[in-house]
């Protein structure tokens, strides 16, 4: 007997190459069956999802959900519920000095899964006062805060939830520190055999300086940020260092946020055949109410920019799972974690905004209707069978 049966939806699971109407069943918190038709009497709970699209639970690889303890943090559950995100990955809100709080107060009690990149800075992201006005105290501006030993110890002690090391580079995040924070972070990441996620804002350092240091599996987030440190030339051609880094296996993540995504850069990159590996929101206090909102909105933008539905879903499910080395996530493969979302794909006219004020009038948007976490439907703040 199955605990839950989603019946009649179009299943899109890029990890398995599935795009067809299927019934999906869950038992004991895991995916138990995917068939053209499953007997409705075989399940304790049935939810009809005709006309909806069932995908694996979304993974937002770049969020800031250390609510109440950092200047960027938003509550995780509202973001997850409105976007269909069953795994939120906090991108460096916490450093070695305050990671225990993130784990004890947010990660452990949360209904949704929360994983984290640990900030190389001991204090984490403490001073993003008002980045849209340039009022930022970057945690990497003072190299005395970058404690490699403490970072390694905390990451090692929390390998169950720490998926990599986060370094924020640029004039806003690092002041005049230049490339030094990345070199320190890479030393920790190499010691732990973990990837590094690198933020990029205004130079210094340059995009080229950053990319030449990144290894296969390392992530450049905010990869479609506007000029300066943009990914394409003034003539709309992708920079050679971008192509060379991708050939080496560097991962390119959207990381939309409040100031780090440009339709012009994304459009030019797509025209050059340079689509993102991962679509993430960088949702935080200053982007929660726009322009990013959440990962479902960011995915909708890419659908309207012409990226295929399968590739958009892959970039928020299978690929981030692969990037984190979490094969139990991002797929509806039998025996994997029972996380799924049923979306309605609305047709109409919808205004989408980037970080520099451009408006894209799109014709589609993804709206989550049903969320399944650990094989149970998440309703009214709780997962119920």
């Amino acid at each position: 007997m199955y605990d839950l049966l989603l019946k009649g939806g179009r299943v899109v699971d890029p990890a398995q190459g599935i795009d067809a109407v299927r019934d999906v069943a869950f038992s004991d918190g895991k995916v138990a069956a995917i068939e053209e038709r499953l007997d409705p009497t075989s399940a304790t709970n049935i939810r009809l999802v005709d006309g909806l699209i069932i995908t694996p639970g979304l993974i937002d690889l770049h969020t800031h959900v250390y609510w109440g303890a950092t200047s960027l943090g938003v509550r995780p559950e509202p973001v997850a519920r409105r976007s269909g995100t069953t795994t939120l990955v906090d991108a460096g809100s916490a450093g070695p000095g305050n990671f225990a709080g993130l784990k004890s107060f947010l990660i452990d009690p949360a209904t949704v899964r929360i994983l984290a990149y640990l900030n190389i800075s001991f204090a984490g992201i403490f001073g993003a006062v008002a980045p849209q006005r340039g009022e930022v105290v970057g945690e990497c501006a003072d190299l005395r805060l970058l404690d490699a030993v403490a970072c390694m110890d905390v990451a090692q002690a929390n390998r169950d939830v720490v998926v990599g090391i986060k370094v924020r580079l640029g004039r806003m995040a690092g002041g005049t520190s230049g490339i030094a924070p990345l070199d320190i972070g890479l030393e920790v990441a190499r010691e732990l055999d973990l990837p590094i996620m690198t933020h990029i804002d205004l130079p210094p350092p340059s995009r080229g300086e950053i990319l030449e240091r990144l290894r296969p599996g390392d992530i450049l987030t905010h990869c479609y940020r506007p000029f300066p440190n943009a990914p394409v030339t003034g003539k709309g051609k992708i920079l050679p260092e971008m192509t060379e880094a991708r050939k080496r296996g560097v991962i390119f993540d959207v990381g939309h946020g409040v100031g780090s995504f440009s339709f012009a850069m994304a459009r030019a990159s797509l025209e050059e055949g340079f689509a993102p590996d991962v679509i993430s929101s960088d949702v935080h206090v200053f982007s929660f109410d726009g322009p990013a909102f959440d990962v479902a909105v960011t995915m909708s933008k890419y659908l309207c920019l012409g990226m295929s539905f399968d590739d958009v879903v892959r970039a928020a499910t299978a690929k981030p799972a692969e990037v984190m080395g979490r094969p139990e996530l991002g797929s509806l493969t039998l025996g994997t974690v029972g996380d799924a979302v049923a979306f309605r794909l609305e047709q109409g006219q919808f205004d989408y905004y980037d970080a520099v004020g451009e408006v894209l009038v799109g014709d589609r948007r993804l709206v989550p209707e049903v969320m399944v976490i650990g094989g149970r439907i998440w309703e009214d703040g709780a997962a119920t069978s």
Side-chain angles (χ1 to χ4, degrees), residues 11-22:
V11 174
V12 177
D13 184 2
Q16 299 187 81
I18 298 175
D19 186 347
V21 175
R22 293 286 186 269

Side-chain angles (χ1 to χ4, degrees), residues 56-223:
L58 300 186
I59 301 169
D60 193 343
L61 194 70
H62 190 149
T63 71
H64 293 282
V65 293
Y66 198 176
W67 179 83
T70 65
S71 59
L72 286 180
V74 295
R75 292 182 185 271
E77 279 81 2
V79 173
R81 177 169 288 284
R82 77 181 188 183
S83 61
T85 306
T86 57
T87 300
L88 297 163
V89 187
D90 188 277
S93 299
N98 57 357
F99 186 82
L102 175 64
K103 188 170 189 306
S104 296
F105 304 135
L106 275 300
I107 293 176
D108 290 346
T111 300
V112 297
R113 183 180 300 98
I114 302 175
L115 303 173
Y117 287 92
L118 180 66
N119 201 310
I120 187 63
S121 171
F122 191 80
I125 302 174
F126 59 85
V129 182
Q132 70 271 52
R133 298 198 303 268
E135 296 174 17
V136 174
V137 180
E139 75 277 7
C140 286
D142 188 339
L143 294 179
R144 293 175 298 176
L145 290 173
L146 310 190
D147 190 327
V149 173
C151 188
M152 185 176 69
D153 289 346
V154 171
Q156 190 71 282
N158 293 278
R159 293 297 290 257
D160 56 330
V161 292
V162 171
V163 297
I165 304 302
K166 176 70 181 290
V167 176
R168 298 205 313 142
L169 298 170
R171 196 189 320 160
M172 296 175 73
T176 59
S177 295
I179 203 72
L182 179 56
D183 289 338
I184 296 169
L186 280 168
E187 187 170 6
V188 176
R190 281 193 293 265
E191 189 73 17
L192 295 167
D193 193 24
L194 285 173
I196 200 162
M197 176 187 276
T198 304
H199 158 114
I200 179 174
D201 61 58
L202 305 175
S206 70
R207 184 177 289 251
E209 289 178 280
I210 295 169
L211 287 174
E212 69 184 9
R213 284 168 165 77
L214 297 186
R215 310 158 300 161
D218 288 340
I219 305 127
L220 179 70
T221 192
H222 310 315
C223 65

Side-chain angles (χ1 to χ4, degrees), residues 55 58-60 63 79-86 88 256 279-283 291-304 309 312-313 316 341-345 352 364-369 371:
T55 74
L58 300 186
I59 301 169
D60 193 343
T63 71
V79 173
R81 177 169 288 284
R82 77 181 188 183
S83 61
T85 306
T86 57
L88 297 163
H256 191 307
I279 295 175
S280 70
S281 70
D282 185 21
V283 61
F293 294 101
D294 53 56
V295 74
V297 173
T298 310
M299 292 166 70
S300 299
K301 292 176 181 181
Y302 268 93
L303 286 175
C304 296
F309 193 88
V312 165
V313 173
V341 59
F343 284 103
R344 175 165 36 90
L345 184 59
Y352 294 111
R364 288 168 288 176
R365 69 178 177 188
L366 285 166
V367 180
E369 295 281 352
M371 285 184 70

Side-chain angles (χ1 to χ4, degrees), residues 213-375:
R213 284 168 165 77
L214 297 186
R215 310 158 300 161
D218 288 340
I219 305 127
L220 179 70
T221 192
H222 310 315
C223 65
Y224 301 112
R225 63 160 284 107
F227 178 87
N229 264 342
V232 299
T233 68
K235 295 182 178 180
K237 299 298 181 182
I238 200 78
L239 293 173
E241 52 261 44
M242 295 279 287
T243 305
E244 290 163 9
R246 172 159 278 179
K247 287 178 181 176
R248 292 201 317 274
V250 172
I251 304 300
F252 291 89
D253 168 46
V254 172
H256 191 307
V258 70
S260 302
F261 176 77
S262 160
F263 283 134
M265 297 299 107
R267 195 178 292 114
S269 297
L270 288 173
E271 289 172 358
E272 289 276 287
F274 204 99
D277 296 301
V278 176
I279 295 175
S280 70
S281 70
D282 185 21
V283 61
H284 52 67
V285 165
F286 303 107
S287 65
F288 178 83
D289 293 318
F293 294 101
D294 53 56
V295 74
V297 173
T298 310
M299 292 166 70
S300 299
K301 292 176 181 181
Y302 268 93
L303 286 175
C304 296
L305 285 168
M307 200 167 164
S308 75
F309 193 88
D310 185 85
D311 286 344
V312 165
V313 173
R314 184 190 308 276
T317 56
K319 191 63 180 183
E322 176 190 325
V323 167
M324 295 188 296
R326 302 279 172 143
E328 73 277 14
L329 303 177
S331 172
L332 295 172
T333 301
L334 300 188
T336 58
V337 169
D339 291 355
V341 59
F343 284 103
R344 175 165 36 90
L345 184 59
E346 287 189 346
Q347 306 288 331
Q349 286 194 340
F350 310 102
D351 289 345
Y352 294 111
Y353 300 85
D354 69 2
V356 294
E358 182 182 341
V359 181
L360 170 69
V361 180
D363 60 355
R364 288 168 288 176
R365 69 178 177 188
L366 285 166
V367 180
E369 295 281 352
V370 181
M371 285 184 70
V372 179
I373 297 179

